[in-house]
Amino acid sequence: MNSLYLSLPGLALSASPAQSGSGSAMGLWESVRYGLDWFFSSLAPASVWVPVTLAVCVAFFIYYWRCLRPRPRSLEWISMAVARSQPRSMSLTLRRHPFRRKDVLPMLLITAVYAATAFFRLGDTDVPQTYTIFQDDTSYTFSFSQPVTVDKLSYYTTLGEGSYRLEWSLDGGKSWQSLTLEQPYDSLLKWEVVDLTQPGEDEEEAHGAITAELWRISANSVRRYEGLWLAELALWNRGEALVPQYVSAGGETLFDESDVWAMKATYLNSSYFDEIYHPRTALEHLNNIYPYEVSHPPLGKLIIAAGISLFGMTPFGWRFMGTLFGVLMLPILYVFLKNLFGRTPVAVCGTCLFAFDFMHLVQTRIATIDTYGVFFILVSYYFMYRWLTVPAGTRLRRSVPSLFLCGLFWGIGCASKWTVVYAGAGLALLWLLGLIFKGREWRRLAAEQDGSPAGTPLPRFGAHVAGTIVLSVLFFIAIPLCIYVAAYIPYVTAAAARDGTQATFQSLLDIVWDNQVFMLTYHQGVHTPHPYESYWYQWIFDGRPILYYRDLDYSASLGIKSLFASFNNPLVSWGGLLAFFAVLIQTIRRKSGKGLFILIAILSQFLPWLPIGRILFAYHYFPTTLFLVFAIAYLMDDMFARRRRGYRLAVYGFTGCAVGLYALFYPVLTGAFYIPLWYSQAFLRWLPSWPL
């Protein structure tokens, strides 16, 4: 039976269409009324900041439209009327404004400030590094000089799925008692803690403290061929670490890093959210193990592996490359905005809006692959823009470098995450429109040349188009395809090592094909409900963040908590939504090539998500957020062009408010600080759907 659902956090209300007449209408009305009652009764004091922020957005846009009106007591309205009456056609013949020496300092300053906030308490560098590999027949004994009492266990998992059997003997090894320590797929690269004085999730009674002198640990079940990789096994008594005096040969690495033992898993010393997949895959690639997670292309995980190679298999190591790429986005974005608009203040403010957007920070601090997708989307659009700015009538060789780099970085992005393919649709449309508009300009130049004295003849446009098509097939199909297939080389070498076979080109192609089929099937089948799922109509209003981490251990006694969630800076989200429609209006009115470029970039990232029925999350809006910044910058550029009274206050004030919100929310974007519960209620929990 079909139902109409009103989705609220923790609440699902339905009204069946089978109910007829007023009964159906009444049922729906009751659902809506109940939902509204829930919403308003759940508002925190921080909700007062919603109308304040909306007022800032509305004031910014009212001022923008006021700027476009003729100046009072002037004849400017005449020139505007004349300009509007002139026939005008759409064009993508864009101008590339130069990056100047004066831009270096603000660009580096913004990048440095953001980098300091992004790398701050990113993760520990001193988690366990050595590990012991357990197979079905693996067992190690260890003992103390006298019986010890253990009330808590912690163990640091690394790779593999299965469980361990921890045993102890009270009679010198004649009889043993045991308990099971689980290592499931979703609990890797983290400290697992077993409190023997408290009941477990599926237990009615606590196991109780254990007193023994002789102990043994062995594999209980091993589910993958690489075995179970256990880094450390820590035994505790009232918070004091107990280090064995004797360990049987081969098991020494279980107790060799007692200086970094922990009784609690935090984001600093352990993985969280999808870090159980991607850093794990990176480690598997480094050890030539066939990966467990194959639901995304390999290149993003190989980039993560580079950070692990530099800093070890630590939270800082597996998060380093993503954070670095997040930092590197900023100088590229600055140059892009300066080339597009030609104004240093616009480049500064636009870069600040993205630098201090919440999602940009949170997504680049987690070791997932979304960061690399957004980075390569940005770079590929930058080089597409540079290709579009090559003047009509120019020889083909001048456009080759930009076209090549655009295709190259787009191909690298596709090998990192499939969603970069969406960007390819926008690039293809820009490429096609660029050729069409360039052809029109080419014909105009040819007509002017026919009526003037002989000069350097224009290259033939037909030859230019043919050459561009051939090069585009090479740059956007052949080279990306080679990059994509080459990214799977670690798969084929690992499969050969596992199976004792020879790695061949045919086996590489077979693995690539099989993985594409699996990925398509897998992503189509992701429908399991998630407490923080969201959809496009929630993204555009910043309605449902995804909570990545929450630590409430101390909240009851001290009234504090640590957490972080991924969502947008409200000024960027709400202001960007308004800016999109403003740019749409201005593109139609002005036939603006800049506006058309921005709109295509936004829609190519956003529209593909509308028909998708699988479970989605707020971070899928990340690439769209990038180009919403361009839309806001477009309006700022208009304000600077008009130079009406107060324009600096409007532009810098809007940007300053966004930076201020970044500072206000910083604790719940990084988890780097414990915040008082009252702080969250007073300043952060603007909407009931925000899990802050």
Side-chain angles (χ1 to χ4, degrees):
M1 180 182 297
N2 295 325
S3 296
L4 175 66
Y5 286 90
L6 302 176
S7 298
L8 297 170
L11 183 65
L13 308 174
S14 64
S16 171
Q19 300 171 355
S20 59
S22 61
S24 177
M26 183 60 69
L28 179 58
W29 168 245
E30 289 296 326
S31 297
V32 171
R33 189 176 68 177
Y34 184 74
L36 292 175
D37 288 344
W38 170 87
F39 179 84
F40 288 108
S41 64
S42 302
L43 288 176
S47 61
V48 71
W49 297 107
V50 173
V52 173
T53 305
L54 286 174
V56 172
C57 290
V58 171
F60 180 79
F61 283 93
I62 289 176
Y63 177 80
Y64 170 72
W65 292 109
R66 182 188 175 102
C67 272
L68 300 181
R69 294 166 56 187
R71 288 178 172 82
R73 296 181 297 277
S74 76
L75 298 179
E76 195 175 45
W77 64 271
I78 299 176
S79 60
M80 288 184 172
V82 171
R84 284 195 298 269
S85 66
Q86 297 296 321
R88 189 183 302 177
S89 58
M90 184 71 72
S91 174
L92 258 181
T93 305
L94 302 172
R95 176 186 173 189
R96 186 192 311 170
H97 300 275
F99 178 86
R100 301 192 182 278
R101 183 180 300 177
K102 67 178 182 179
D103 293 301
V104 174
L105 181 59
M107 180 186 72
L108 293 180
L109 183 60
I110 296 169
T111 304
V113 170
Y114 172 77
T117 64
F119 279 105
F120 179 70
R121 303 201 73 192
L122 180 63
D124 288 346
T125 57
D126 54 357
V127 301
Q129 293 296 286
T130 59
Y131 47 83
T132 303
I133 300 178
F134 287 76
Q135 295 292 354
D136 289 323
D137 58 350
T138 304
S139 181
Y140 301 102
T141 59
F142 56 96
S143 62
F144 299 83
S145 58
Q146 60 185 11
V148 296
T149 299
V150 176
D151 58 18
K152 186 175 288 188
L153 303 165
S154 60
Y155 55 103
Y156 192 86
T157 60
T158 305
L159 285 183
E161 301 173 60
S163 61
Y164 308 95
R165 182 169 58 253
L166 180 64
E167 301 172 282
W168 61 94
S169 176
L170 303 175
D171 54 10
K174 296 178 182 178
S175 60
W176 296 86
Q177 300 179 55
S178 68
L179 60 83
T180 301
L181 304 179
E182 297 290 344
Q183 183 170 306
Y185 80 95
D186 58 354
S187 187
L188 297 182
L189 304 173
K190 63 174 63 178
W191 281 104
E192 286 293 313
V193 180
V194 179
D195 190 342
L196 298 172
T197 65
Q198 300 293 327
E201 289 185 6
D202 301 323
E203 299 174 343
E204 295 182 0
E205 296 182 1
H207 184 282
I210 301 170
T211 301
E213 178 181 347
L214 182 62
W215 300 71
R216 182 169 66 194
I217 184 170
S218 55
N220 188 50
S221 67
V222 179
R223 302 192 186 105
R224 274 178 54 92
Y225 80 98
E226 73 270 17
L228 293 171
W229 295 26
L230 183 62
E232 290 291 307
L233 174 63
L235 282 64
W236 305 89
N237 179 27
R238 297 182 181 180
E240 180 183 355
L242 305 173
V243 182
Q245 275 72 48
Y246 165 79
V247 184
S248 61
E252 297 87 355
T253 51
L254 289 171
F255 306 99
D256 65 339
E257 298 174 273
S258 58
D259 56 323
V260 297
W261 284 2
M263 289 194 295
K264 177 182 177 181
T266 69
Y267 85 92
L268 288 168
N269 63 23
S270 299
S271 61
Y272 66 91
F273 194 64
D274 277 358
E275 287 188 338
I276 60 172
Y277 300 118
H278 302 142
R280 167 188 178 171
T281 305
L283 181 62
E284 288 166 338
H285 287 325
L286 289 171
N287 287 274
N288 201 30
I289 296 171
Y290 199 86
Y292 170 83
E293 183 275 313
V294 293
S295 58
H296 295 286
L299 192 54
K301 279 89 76 171
L302 293 172
I303 297 173
I304 293 173
I308 295 171
S309 298
L310 291 172
F311 299 102
M313 192 61 195
T314 67
F316 183 87
W318 66 61
R319 294 169 192 156
F320 173 79
M321 292 302 292
T323 308
L324 177 63
F325 270 64
V327 171
L328 294 178
M329 288 182 198
L330 301 183
I332 296 170
L333 177 62
Y334 186 100
V335 173
F336 197 166
L337 290 171
K338 183 62 192 294
N339 282 180
L340 185 60
F341 296 108
R343 302 183 196 276
T344 295
V346 173
V348 168
C349 292
T351 305
C352 283
L353 289 177
F354 188 64
F356 301 115
D357 179 65
F358 302 170
M359 191 174 292
H360 173 237
L361 176 71
V362 176
Q363 289 304 130
T364 58
R365 281 172 58 93
I366 183 174
T368 57
I369 56 178
D370 303 272
T371 297
Y372 311 114
V374 175
F375 177 87
F376 292 119
I377 288 171
L378 171 63
V379 178
S380 61
Y381 269 83
Y382 171 66
F383 284 110
M384 175 54 69
Y385 165 76
R386 291 181 66 88
W387 177 76
L388 291 170
T389 60
V390 175
T394 305
R395 294 191 178 277
L396 180 62
R397 63 173 177 267
R398 282 195 56 188
S399 64
V400 170
S402 296
L403 200 63
F404 165 71
L405 292 172
C406 178
L408 174 68
F409 285 108
W410 178 73
I412 295 173
C414 291
S416 301
K417 189 163 185 178
W418 265 11
T419 51
V420 180
V421 175
Y422 301 158
L427 293 173
L429 180 57
L430 288 169
W431 177 90
L432 178 61
L433 293 176
L435 281 181
I436 292 173
F437 292 133
K438 198 165 289 188
R440 188 173 62 193
E441 181 69 11
W442 210 293
R443 288 190 294 272
R444 185 187 64 81
L445 292 173
E448 291 178 356
Q449 191 177 69
D450 289 342
S452 62
T456 303
L458 283 176
R460 290 186 297 116
F461 181 65
H464 180 88
V465 171
T468 300
I469 292 174
V470 171
L471 291 174
S472 297
V473 170
L474 175 64
F475 297 159
F476 288 91
I477 298 177
I479 291 177
L481 188 60
C482 290
I483 294 171
Y484 195 88
V485 172
Y488 278 88
I489 290 176
Y491 281 44
V492 71
T493 58
R498 178 194 61 193
D499 302 333
T501 58
Q502 188 75 23
T504 64
F505 183 67
Q506 183 59 49
S507 62
L508 173 62
L509 295 180
D510 291 342
I511 285 177
V512 172
W513 176 257
D514 290 343
N515 190 236
Q516 308 319 296
V517 174
F518 169 79
M519 284 194 290
L520 182 62
T521 305
Y522 172 81
H523 288 291
Q524 287 177 338
V526 180
H527 296 288
T528 304
H530 191 282
Y532 297 107
E533 65 186 79
S534 59
Y535 295 94
W536 64 267
Y537 48 84
Q538 294 167 300
W539 303 343
I540 61 177
F541 298 114
D542 220 2
R544 186 56 172 163
I546 176 171
L547 182 67
Y548 282 148
Y549 173 82
R550 175 181 283 162
D551 180 2
L552 298 173
D553 284 2
Y554 304 121
S555 62
S557 57
L558 300 178
I560 59 176
K561 63 182 177 181
S562 171
L563 58 88
F564 49 86
S566 182
F567 60 120
N568 289 121
N569 187 318
L571 278 176
V572 175
S573 180
W574 302 341
L577 180 61
L578 292 173
F580 168 80
F581 289 106
V583 173
L584 177 62
I585 293 170
Q586 296 293 52
T587 300
I588 295 172
R589 289 172 58 180
R590 299 172 172 175
K591 304 297 189 292
S592 169
K594 288 181 187 176
L596 182 61
F597 182 92
I598 294 169
L599 292 174
I600 290 174
I602 292 173
L603 294 175
S604 69
Q605 301 306 312
F606 181 67
L607 290 180
W609 296 107
L610 270 59
I612 291 179
R614 57 152 288 181
I615 296 300
L616 301 174
F617 299 97
Y619 62 77
H620 290 119
Y621 198 52
F622 188 17
T624 306
T625 301
L626 168 65
F627 293 110
L628 290 180
V629 167
F630 281 75
I632 298 173
Y634 182 98
L635 307 192
M636 291 179 171
D637 182 62
D638 274 353
M639 292 181 188
F640 269 89
R642 295 290 296 155
R643 304 182 71 86
R644 297 289 295 270
R645 182 179 178 182
Y647 74 98
R648 293 183 184 275
L649 176 62
V651 172
Y652 296 141
F654 186 87
T655 305
C657 287
V659 176
L661 288 179
Y662 180 84
L664 182 71
F665 280 82
Y666 184 76
V668 295
L669 304 176
T670 62
F673 307 100
Y674 284 91
I675 60 170
L677 300 182
W678 63 261
Y679 183 85
S680 177
Q681 291 295 309
F683 296 107
L684 306 180
R685 196 165 183 265
W686 289 16
L687 298 173
S689 56
W690 287 13
L692 307 179

